[in-house]
Amino acid sequence: MKKNKAPSSRRAEIQHLYQCYASGQTTLPACALLKFLQKEQMELTADEETAENLIDRYEIEETARESRSMTFEGFLRYMESKDCCVFDRAHASVYQDMDQPLTSYFISSSHNTYLTGDQLVGKSHLDAYVCALRKGCRCLEIDCWDGPDMEPVVYHGYTLTTKILFKDVITTVEQHAFEVSAYPVILSLENHCSREQQEVMAQYLISILGEKLLRTPLDHPTTGDLPSPNFGVCEVTGGRPTVTPAAASLAHEPIAARCRKIYKDCFYPAKKQKSNESA
């Protein structure tokens, strides 16, 4: 027995479906479209009104619309539309309970965010941070190392990956942090810098991020629980995004200590070489 040849393209596949339900007719009646919706699309709640609404939306040939049917071109427009997408459109916005502690959630995170290539000789680029943020990433990794002229750099240490300036990374984060998500951004700082360049990093974090930088402890003083993701959703005030609650002033503390408090000991002094003691 000769097997039917598989459709050679997506259009041919859709045409095959159309012909099956049109049953030899030149157009697809609303009742046949409804059958297609229920059987193939599994839209069990669809009714004839649903089918007719699709005809009104996607059929441009007046004669077909008047006869409450759909031409192949109209059917093709429907099949390639958002109405035919398998993704649940109710999930296009946040639908989960977002009032639980931060530790209750999986957080979209990025490893070696700065890299656009491999981890040995790849290129570090600011666009990698932009791309991650635009994909909804909420935790970015920044590997920080001492750079020339007291400018901390970001790259994959002890490799041939290229270097970018720490201050440029923070500026990029500030510009793009809340383009697609209002939830807080976590900066995972892998800090290899000397104390002197840690202070430079702290100055950049405070001066560039401003009030967007959280400077108060997050955990509950009694239970130790972290707040929910809603604690610092993005607000747009005065034409620029900020994060609430507003950062508390820590001006009386040294910059390095300030950053240790912000990032819970992500900042640490460089290890000192032990001097050789005489016997």
Side-chain angles (χ1 to χ4, degrees), residues 126 164-173 208:
L126 297 174
I164 52 180
L165 294 178
F166 175 79
K167 66 179 179 182
D168 291 343
V169 172
I170 300 304
T171 299
T172 300
V173 171
I208 295 172

Side-chain angles (χ1 to χ4, degrees), residues 33-39 41-51 54 78:
L33 178 58
L34 174 59
K35 185 178 178 182
F36 168 80
L37 293 174
Q38 293 175 336
K39 185 176 180 180
Q41 306 295 76
M42 299 299 292
E43 296 186 21
L44 303 181
T45 59
D47 54 22
E48 194 153 339
E49 183 180 356
T50 306
L54 290 176
Y78 159 66

Side-chain angles (χ1 to χ4, degrees), residues 5-275:
K5 190 176 180 181
S8 58
S9 67
R10 173 170 167 76
R11 183 184 175 93
E13 184 179 2
I14 294 174
Q15 192 163 25
H16 176 72
L17 272 173
Y18 179 82
Q19 290 170 346
C20 286
Y21 283 89
S23 301
Q25 300 182 67
T26 55
T27 59
L28 185 69
C31 59
L33 178 58
L34 174 59
K35 185 178 178 182
F36 168 80
L37 293 174
Q38 293 175 336
K39 185 176 180 180
E40 303 291 344
Q41 306 295 76
M42 299 299 292
E43 296 186 21
L44 303 181
T45 59
D47 54 22
E48 194 153 339
E49 183 180 356
T50 306
E52 291 188 358
N53 286 338
L54 290 176
I55 291 171
D56 290 334
R57 196 174 308 154
Y58 296 106
E59 183 52 61
I60 61 174
E61 189 175 304
E62 193 63 33
T63 305
R65 292 180 64 177
E66 288 177 356
S67 64
R68 312 314 292 151
S69 61
M70 185 178 274
T71 63
F72 172 69
E73 293 302 327
F75 185 71
L76 183 63
R77 277 190 290 273
Y78 159 66
M79 290 292 286
E80 294 180 341
S81 72
K82 289 183 179 179
D83 280 322
C84 200
C85 183
V86 295
F87 179 73
D88 187 346
R89 284 178 293 165
H91 294 176
S93 57
V94 178
Y95 63 95
Q96 302 96 333
D97 175 11
M98 300 303 291
D99 291 317
Q100 302 302 314
L102 276 169
T103 48
S104 300
Y105 300 90
F106 290 105
I107 298 176
S108 178
S109 304
S110 172
H111 177 61
N112 290 347
T113 312
Y114 46 88
L115 287 177
T116 58
D118 65 70
Q119 299 185 75
L120 295 178
V121 295
K123 186 177 181 180
S124 303
H125 204 288
L126 297 174
D127 284 348
Y129 285 94
V130 177
C131 182
L133 288 167
R134 286 179 176 171
K135 289 180 178 179
C137 186
R138 296 288 89 188
C139 181
L140 308 174
E141 184 175 21
I142 308 176
D143 291 0
C144 312
W145 299 80
D146 283 350
D149 303 321
M150 287 296 291
E151 286 288 353
V153 295
V154 175
Y155 83 113
H156 201 220
Y158 307 112
T159 69
L160 298 177
T161 56
T162 60
K163 301 173 182 178
I164 52 180
L165 294 178
F166 175 79
K167 66 179 179 182
D168 291 343
V169 172
I170 300 304
T171 299
T172 300
V173 171
E174 190 276 334
Q175 292 171 344
H176 300 279
F178 304 111
E179 281 188 9
V180 300
S181 174
Y183 290 110
V185 173
I186 300 168
L187 300 182
S188 175
L189 300 174
E190 186 178 304
N191 187 6
H192 301 271
C193 290
S194 62
R195 181 184 293 273
E196 292 74 22
Q197 294 211 21
Q198 286 183 41
E199 293 190 3
V200 174
M201 290 171 61
Q203 291 169 1
Y204 284 139
L205 287 166
I206 293 167
S207 63
I208 295 172
L209 297 180
E211 290 187 354
K212 296 178 186 178
L213 182 64
L214 182 73
R215 306 190 200 181
T216 54
L218 290 179
D219 48 322
H220 192 279
T222 305
T223 65
D225 288 340
L226 291 175
S228 77
N230 284 324
F231 86 94
V233 294
C234 176
E235 291 183 344
V236 178
T237 56
R240 65 186 182 89
T242 59
V243 171
T244 56
S249 173
L250 298 176
H252 61 283
E253 297 182 9
I255 289 175
R258 200 178 304 177
C259 288
R260 282 198 294 273
K261 186 169 185 178
I262 295 166
Y263 290 105
K264 295 190 176 181
D265 300 323
C266 276
F267 281 77
Y268 51 86
K271 293 181 180 178
K272 295 182 179 179
Q273 297 289 338
K274 290 185 178 180
S275 58

